[in-house]
Amino acid sequence: MHLGVNIDHIATLRQARLTTYPCPIQAAKDCLEAGADGITAHLREDRRHIQDKDMENLAAMAQAGELHLNMEMAATDEMVAIACKLKPQAVCLVPESREELTTEGGLDVAGHIERMIDVVARLNDAGCAVSMFIDPDKAQIDASKNIQAAVIELHTGHYANFNGDKQLSELKSIQEAARYADKIGLIVHAGHGLTLDNTKPMVDIKEIMGLNIGHAIVADAVFVGLKQATADFKTLMKR
Ligand code: PXP
């Protein structure tokens, strides 16, 4: 199972003081050394954490075969142009709004079919494997398949925030969505809000091939260090 470590919050810490440290590139190297299979980074329109130069440096490492880079981005012309220039191996399209603390829900692919066909085609032509970050919803899965995305990333944020019966019901939706998407030929990933305490049920869903995890790893790293925090998730994800 592929672990993509999202290093946005290494950059959040750096941007809080506009220093040159901590360095996201060094963080990426440490995560890979500790067993991460890839690095995810989100270049936001407001540049609140990852900066253009960070993405360029990560992409250069990706081009050199040193890492698998998953660039998270909104489906805007600005971001599509950057991705087509940098050619990361993977691009994950996410919804974005300026006011949000973090990505708040899945992308409405079904509601923006024409736009998504165009964006995905441009990214596919640049050689990027395109992933749609969606809620566990059949209409969104079908739409993702129809617009020629290769991958979906199921949004686990609600599952992570709920507890009790609501959490179980959301888990069931994720299980069913993963099974259905796999059956129609999509590669299934999942992510958002995952911690050492709530990740195991995702590992048990055999159709889920990869998880993208950021905030919890960086938070754990405060106490155990980044390499140990990465390794702890990797151990939990062994099937
Ligand atoms: N996947 C996607 C599409 C995301 O937007 C994020 C947050 O940037 C993550 C995974 C990682 O979420 P978290 O930081 O809560 O682990």
Side-chain angles (χ1 to χ4, degrees), residues 6 8-9 42 72 92 94 102-103 133 153 191-194 212-216:
N6 181 315
D8 291 351
H9 295 304
H42 185 173
E72 261 185 43
C92 180
V94 299
T102 180
T103 317
F133 183 59
E153 179 172 330
H192 213 280
L194 296 177
N212 286 309
I213 304 177
H215 187 259

Side-chain angles (χ1 to χ4, degrees), residues 65-79:
E66 292 166 17
L67 64 79
H68 179 277
L69 176 61
N70 175 33
M71 176 178 173
E72 261 185 43
M73 54 180 242
T76 61
D77 287 335
E78 181 202 13
M79 288 300 153

